[in-house]
Amino acid sequence: MAGADGDDSLYPIAVLIDELRNEDVQLRLNSIKKLSTIALALGVERTRTELLPFLTDTIYDEDEVLLALAEQLGNFTMLVGGPEYVHCLLPPLESLATVEETVVRDKAVESLRKISQEHSPVDLEVHFEPLVKRLASGDWFTSRTSACGLFSVCYPRVSSTVKAEIRQHFRTLCSDDTPMVRRAAASKLGEFAKVLELDYVKSDIISLFTALASDEQDSVRLLAVEACVSIATLLPQEDLETLVMPTLRQAAEDKSWRVRYMVADKFSELQKAVGPEITKNDLVPAFQNLLKDCEAEVRAAAANKVKEFCENLPEDNREQIIMTHILPCVKELVSDTNQHVKSALASVIMGLSTILGKDNTIEHLLPLFLAQLKDECPEVRLNIISNLDCVNEVIGIRQLSQSLLPAIVELAEDAKWRVRLAIIEYMPLLAGQLGVEFFDEKLNTLCMAWLIDHVYAIREAATCNLMKLVEKFGADWAQNTIVPKVLGMANDPNYLHRMTTLFCINALSDVCGRDITTKQMLPVVLKMSEDQVANVRFNVAKSLQKIGPVLEKITLQNQVKPVLDKLATDKDMDVKYFAHEALSVLELTYPAHD
Amino acid sequence: MAAKDGSKMSAAAIAAEKVDGFTRKSVRKAQQRQRRSLSSSQGSSQFRTHGAVPVDLSLSPLPQLMPECVNQQELFTQKLQQCCVLFDFFDSVTDLKSKEVKRATLNELVDYVSTNRGVLVEAAYPDITNMIITNIFRTLPPSDNPDFDPEEDEPTLEASWPHMQLVYEFLLRFLENPDFQPSIAKRYIDQRFVLQLLELFDTEDPRERDFLKTILHRIYGKFLGLRAFIRKQINNIFLRFIYESEHFNGVAELLEILGSIINGFALPLKAEHKQFLMKVLLPLHTAKALVLFHAQLAYCIVQFLEKDPTLTEPVIRGLLKFWPKTCSQKEVMFLGEMEEILDVIEPTQFKKIQEPLFKQISKCVTNPHFQVAERALYLWNNEYILSLIEENIDKILPLMFGSLYRISKEHWNPTIVALVYNVLKTLMEMNGSLFDDLTASYKNDRQRCGTPSRLNNPYPHTLSS
């Protein structure tokens, strides 16, 4: 094909083009990814007359190649000669929009949407809109699903007759006999409604919405719920009651839990879209029902929204609504039988305290927090602990400390290491809120115990935790409370614990400062260079490298270098390696010989 | 970070729950059911619309049905209506007596429609179908285990099975009764009915799916007007499974029904059927859970090829297109299916696809996963395939030779090496001179390129550098 006629400058291009036909998928893929280079070399004319027809013909290929092609063509406008010629890109993209593989099709639609903007209004009607129509009346469902995503991009820029046709096509697809197409149409309903004139929203979209929302397949009905948000936003308040609410009410009580789940999941958006009046009259009871739903999935989705829903309630009687309608349901959820429901609630419940204020929090919410802190499921307890800061602002964490402590201790000793890990990560936050005294008294032992956990990830997190604590409480505190304990472990019979000392020193030297590092930590590290276990010795080398920058030059020369030199002649290969590495990083290698 | 941990945690928690999942699940479900009756405004499933109405659920036994007596029809209807009352099986304490009454009544109804003639009068059809619809059609609950792996995990069984089983049994007897009149029944067993029936195939309970399979098969056999509709809806389920959700529990059962449907297709095959083969059955091979329905799927494919051998080429090309790239387990299944296809292939068709096919097989024999290599080499144990290879040895040997020769020297697994020697020996016997030529040119190539074996290249020690 092109470029193969001896012109030297086109030779690399000829190779790329050959590779477009190579048997090896990877080579074809590489070539497709450089398609813009090929087009640039060929020039706009030959790209239009040769490259694009060639690409249109090769559509039968591996999905991977097609995906890359679909993506490339979306950025091809300038390469075919600018907006004037952008319609040349439509034939290959049209074929790509009909293939079976969803990702390819979606990418083709994405590119078509992109280049639709580059069409002039005339070209849009002459070239683009006919393509949409062809796709919309295609035999196989794939082309019809693709069409659904294209209506909204051409509608605003075409004449009113064409607009009428587009509306008609969309209507047809909404009642397509394959559920795949109806799903595609339902998922684009909101988007399409946004570009329609308000009158047509009221006449066309509402009837489609109502029909899709009572489709025989729940997978279609639940997509209508999503559209409901956009549609409700578009309509004036006075029409919502008659046009949208009957359908929304029905969806909230749908016999399929998937639809109810969707309503729960979209509840905040729906609430904003329908406004305060309808929220008060309709959504509050609907939300109560969702919180009491028979399926745990629905309850969990609703529980997740409790805080947002309450926050967005109209302020004039927010407190009253929460206290009389929402809180009773929330109380029930605290002792739900399903742990996912409880843990969803636990992740948001603390947020209610800022909304309800100090007195209500103490009287009504505190018992719930305490109950959740004692929950049998660790995830619930963790979610409460991780949100303590919200409560702290309102009533202070001390109110909780009596229950908090047992909960923390229990989580700290949980049999699952991931639970222990999670609680360690909250330790700095807790320490900050509870204060140094409380910490020293109750939590310090725990933090030290993690250092000798039998799971490495926990020991590692524990060292990191110590560093953060020192950042909070300062070097003096470190020197008095944790450094002696850490250094004590250097004599532990278990080499893993001895190594933990080194890891702690790595983490702490920076925050503890030069003084503590030189006077207290360094001697211990140096002494450990004589450990029997090679792993400890090469970790000494690594530690020295790590804490070196904190030390004075003279200390490095006089104390560190001799030890590293000795380790550099160790019998163990790894010890030697790390000793050499430390020497060179600390620039201790050659000055000795000067 | 918190979210990530949260998900890890819940996975861990689920794993922990599996240990004694049974008790907890039952406790949980029982309480959920209690909730159900509290929140009466929501109609979840068929169960709830009934359970929610605060009526007295207690049933008292009606007199025995006697086919030879008068007024039996009325009694039959009463009994059918009685069986429309639904009970909460998560609650194992309440309504015990009434549950027993319903069970006995259902048993009696099953007997009544299976042993008597003349009991299926036209007036009974609405009550019969209403009883069935009320009992079995429902929105399936969310799976207790979101990562349900049908291969590993125990399925959640339908709690109300003691009744539901009898209702299914009744439906089956009803359809199989010699007096059964499709012309009357089609008013009730319509598209909507079939659609709801098909949705139930997603149930995790294999006992239920088994009943559904037989029942749908009977309906397909008796209601000619519903056949195209049923096929189309199965199509939709499969397409959704392939391209949208990747989740449907009843694929194997539906394929099993299709297997016998395809068997009955008239020749020449309609375009609709060919499209189903190419655009639905072949892409089904891409599913992650292929292992759960591969046997049924391969059976359907072979049925098609036996009907119309000209489909062989596109089908094999389709399979080659979807050939698994990383999943060895699936690759073994593909090779198995290929053998089933080759078993029925016509020699003329074989010639059309031998090149791409043996290129793939040649890749398979060099697969480091010994099961894949082994499965590919087993093709040489098949007499018919062997005869096809022999007929086309001049085309196939050059495609296979390099791989086989290399594997005979390099494969890590001694069983594979032994198998390869046998295969090479067989091929040599088929065409000795070609074999010698290929050996010579292979050795030449090797010397010329001087490509050292990767094994000679010692792996550098990271720390010694």
Side-chain angles (χ1 to χ4, degrees), chain A residues 97 136 146 197 208 221 317 335 414 454 460 490 507 509 544 554 556:
Chain A
S146 291
E197 297 80 359
L208 297 176
R221 295 202 299 275
N317 44 11
S335 48
D414 197 278
H454 59 273
E460 191 190 24
S509 65
L544 289 173
I554 182 86
L556 281 175

Side-chain angles (χ1 to χ4, degrees), chain A residues 100 140 177 183 255 337 574, chain B residues 31 43-44 244 275 463:
Chain A
E100 253 87 50
W140 191 240
D177 68 343
R183 277 194 289 275
K255 68 178 171 24
T337 46
D574 297 333
Chain B
Q31 303 207 2
S44 164
E244 291 181 10
Q275 173 168 291
L463 293 179

Side-chain angles (χ1 to χ4, degrees), chain A residues 166-223:
Chain A
I166 292 179
R167 287 196 305 274
Q168 180 53 44
H169 278 293
F170 191 79
R171 230 187 337 259
T172 315
L173 293 182
C174 282
S175 53
D176 197 277
D177 68 343
T178 65
M180 282 80 72
V181 178
R182 293 204 303 279
R183 277 194 289 275
S187 68
K188 299 294 177 194
L189 184 65
E191 177 189 295
F192 189 55
K194 281 184 193 157
V195 299
L196 248 58
E197 297 80 359
L198 184 59
D199 281 346
Y200 291 120
V201 173
K202 286 188 200 171
S203 58
D204 283 31
I205 295 290
I206 293 298
S207 66
L208 297 176
F209 167 61
T210 317
L212 290 168
S214 42
D215 196 275
E216 62 199 4
Q217 304 242 336
D218 59 1
S219 55
V220 179
R221 295 202 299 275
L222 65 88
L223 290 168

Side-chain angles (χ1 to χ4, degrees), chain A residues 149-164:
Chain A
L150 296 173
F151 293 117
S152 64
V153 291
C154 49
Y155 189 85
R157 297 171 61 215
V158 293
S159 67
S160 56
T161 27
V162 179
K163 278 185 176 177

